Amino acid sequence: MENNRPVWTSKYAFIITAIGSAVGLGNIWRFPYVMGQNGGAIFLVTYILLICTICFIPLLNELYVGKLTKKECVGAYEAINPKFKYFGALNPITGILISAFYFIVGGWIINYICKWKLLSQISDYGEYFSKFIAEPVYPCLLTLLFIFICVYFTARGLKNGIEKANKIFMPMLAILLIFLVIISLNLPDAQKGLEYMFKPDFSKLNFHMVLAALGQAFFTLSIGMGALLTYGSYIKEDKTLVKSVYTIILSDTTFALLAGIMIFPAVFSFGMEPNSGAGLVFVTLPKIFSQIPFGDLISFAFFVLLFCAAVTSGISIVEGPCATLTERFNMSRQKACALLFVIISLIAIPTTLSFGILGDFKVFGKTLFDFLDYLTSNLMLPSNTLILCLISGWYLKIKGYKILKNKFSESLFDIGLKFIVPIALIFLIIAGLK
Ligand code: PFF
């Protein structure tokens, strides 16, 4: 089987696909609203500090374990020690659960793209959004369509599906983002939004905010569900990883910053609140678009941008479980993807309905959508990362494999894997349990 494993066609293909996984709804939908709820600039400073220090280690580690073992998640953990394979299996399970709520938002985006003409005529955007997501049939169909799109590209394989999708969608994403940033910066009072983003108010520094920044950083870098481990396993022997990790972090942070620079000046320019939570992108922004010249076209461009970001991340979410099914159960890629389509749909449909007819069905006091978001983002992603750091730090003896250039950085990496990152993650998990 191992000889039949696909490999990236070039270093560029690997990098752009890994960036495609990292840059997603986490950057353009989640980052601005989490920042808005956590004090603006001070959140940004904390986030950047964390992303350059604590997050570097698990990101490099995940890619490295994939590259070293050349196996999908379960096999990779098993290669380190057969006892660990059950921990490895948590990764594709997390992937399937994440996809069930992530792809619902993908479906909402498709709706906003299709309704671009109509959007400018709505009188109450909040009401429109809550009515739309509560409908019993239409959002489910859109969710299924989004799942199909991600699974389709994954089924076509590394070269013809995953790489191709990223090579098309990522440049489109970058161009649209820059275009929208320019428009936003030219709105009246745009500098108020920039001040909100870049002038830190240190009185807002608190532990909860630091943990929110850490959680956001892990989510946005796609750490903790084996997507990057699987991508790492397709790297050819001769590629250096550390530089790639810097590139991924730098690009992901740039996209998040640009998303903020696109959104906050617009929000402030129209006297809106930056802390409106998940509705920021689906309620506040369309309202703003309806008030600017060519707003319908700008709205269309924005949701296409969001779509590009969501698809490339969605593909990486599917690829982890897909690799596990193909390699461990000897399935063809197409069969594995068909099976994943069914499994993800079966979870995603009731989750979509949790905004409407299944709204009263609660798991631990939360709707199905909120529960899956909470379970995966707050608990499973950090727990999986914690486990992999401890396994690599204590069993793989990464220090001996010379992935870093000098002894000092090797020791720092080693201490990070064994102690610093696990401690930070334990705090994150405990905070997530509350
Ligand atoms: N990093 C993606 C985002 O920012 O939207 C989300 C994600 C993708 C999380 C893949 C985890 C993952 F494995």
Side-chain angles (χ1 to χ4, degrees):
M1 191 75 213
E2 234 175 284
N3 292 339
N4 297 334
R5 292 191 98 249
V7 284
W8 300 111
T9 52
S10 64
K11 181 155 183 157
Y12 169 72
F14 161 63
I15 289 283
I16 195 152
T17 315
I19 295 173
S21 169
V23 177
L25 296 178
N27 302 62
I28 296 158
W29 171 58
R30 202 172 187 270
F31 174 78
Y33 89 70
V34 177
M35 183 170 165
Q37 288 173 327
N38 285 282
I42 187 65
F43 174 88
L44 182 63
V45 173
T46 317
Y47 170 84
I48 290 180
L49 279 177
L50 290 172
I51 224 160
C52 299
T53 52
I54 291 186
C55 298
F56 172 84
I57 295 167
L59 179 56
L60 176 59
N61 181 43
E62 213 182 297
L63 283 168
Y64 179 68
V65 171
K67 184 187 165 201
L68 182 77
T69 58
K70 295 272 179 288
K71 289 195 177 1
E72 50 67 52
C73 293
V74 183
Y77 283 55
E78 193 178 37
I80 300 171
N81 185 322
K83 275 188 265 166
F84 295 147
K85 70 175 176 195
Y86 299 103
F87 289 128
L90 284 174
N91 287 280
I93 294 174
T94 310
I96 289 172
L97 293 178
I98 283 204
S99 59
F101 82 87
Y102 199 87
F103 292 179
I104 293 172
V105 184
W108 297 347
I109 297 168
I110 298 179
N111 173 59
Y112 276 66
I113 294 176
C114 298
K115 301 266 171 73
W116 68 284
K117 265 271 166 224
L118 213 116
L119 275 183
S120 56
Q121 293 147 28
I122 291 168
S123 54
D124 186 335
Y125 286 86
E127 190 189 289
Y128 170 77
F129 180 60
S130 32
K131 267 201 182 145
F132 155 64
I133 60 176
E135 276 177 47
V137 181
Y138 184 49
C140 288
L141 293 177
L142 293 177
T143 302
L144 290 178
L145 177 60
F146 193 84
I147 300 173
F148 179 79
I149 294 170
C150 294
V151 167
Y152 169 79
F153 282 115
T154 313
R156 293 195 49 150
L158 214 58
K159 185 171 165 226
N160 294 324
I162 300 178
E163 287 186 11
K164 220 179 217 166
N166 277 278
K167 284 178 183 168
I168 298 169
F169 290 128
M170 288 311 287
M172 238 167 102
L173 172 66
I175 293 167
L176 287 173
L177 190 55
I178 291 169
F179 166 70
L180 291 172
V181 163
I182 295 172
I183 294 184
S184 187
L185 286 177
N186 281 303
L187 289 172
D189 286 336
Q191 87 281 359
K192 279 195 199 149
L194 295 180
E195 271 169 31
Y196 179 77
M197 266 191 86
F198 295 113
K199 241 193 194 171
D201 173 358
F202 286 93
S203 67
K204 291 199 173 135
L205 186 67
N206 62 61
F207 192 56
H208 174 264
M209 186 274 291
V210 176
L211 289 178
L214 191 61
Q216 170 62 24
F218 278 110
F219 184 83
T220 190
L221 289 175
S222 305
I223 304 172
M225 51 147 281
L228 293 177
L229 188 153
T230 312
Y231 277 4
S233 73
Y234 302 140
I235 301 175
K236 279 192 216 142
E237 226 24 79
D238 54 324
K239 304 283 183 282
T240 54
L241 268 191
V242 179
K243 249 198 210 150
S244 310
V245 171
Y246 284 129
T247 316
I248 297 168
I249 290 184
L250 191 72
S251 316
D252 186 72
T253 311
T254 310
F255 273 101
L257 281 177
L258 287 175
I261 298 175
M262 163 181 69
I263 290 173
F264 289 115
V267 168
F268 279 86
S269 176
F270 284 86
M272 312 244 184
E273 288 303 318
N275 55 357
S276 59
L280 184 66
V281 156
F282 292 101
V283 178
T284 312
L285 283 189
K287 198 165 161 186
I288 292 171
F289 294 144
S290 72
Q291 296 172 40
I292 50 185
F294 302 107
D296 45 5
L297 282 177
I298 293 170
S299 166
F300 179 76
F302 174 76
F303 286 104
V304 170
L305 164 125
L306 211 53
F307 176 81
C308 296
V311 170
T312 51
S313 296
I315 290 172
S316 78
I317 298 178
V318 178
E319 178 58 16
C322 171
T324 300
L325 287 176
T326 51
E327 288 175 36
R328 290 202 75 88
F329 298 95
N330 251 332
M331 270 185 200
S332 71
R333 193 169 256 279
Q334 286 73 14
K335 259 199 195 139
C337 284
L339 182 61
L340 282 170
F341 178 79
V342 174
I343 299 173
I344 296 171
S345 303
L346 286 177
I347 307 173
I349 288 176
T351 312
T352 313
L353 295 175
S354 69
F355 290 97
I357 51 176
L358 291 186
D360 290 333
F361 174 71
K362 299 270 158 75
V363 187
F364 294 108
K366 291 182 189 316
T367 64
L368 210 48
F369 182 92
D370 288 341
F371 174 72
L372 281 183
D373 182 5
Y374 167 82
L375 177 72
T376 51
S377 313
N378 292 28
L379 302 178
M380 293 183 89
L381 289 180
S383 304
N384 292 344
T385 310
L386 171 68
I387 293 168
L388 189 58
C389 284
L390 291 175
I391 288 177
S392 300
W394 295 96
Y395 287 86
L396 194 57
K397 303 275 178 279
I398 276 226
K399 221 173 146 182
Y401 286 96
K402 301 255 174 293
I403 46 174
L404 294 154
K405 287 248 161 65
N406 55 54
K407 285 255 162 303
F408 178 69
S409 38
E410 268 178 22
S411 304
L412 265 186
F413 188 66
D414 198 43
I415 294 170
L417 272 185
K418 285 180 174 156
F419 304 105
I420 302 173
V421 180
I423 291 171
L425 285 165
I426 288 170
F427 273 116
L428 191 65
I429 295 165
I430 292 173
L433 283 173
K434 284 189 190 148

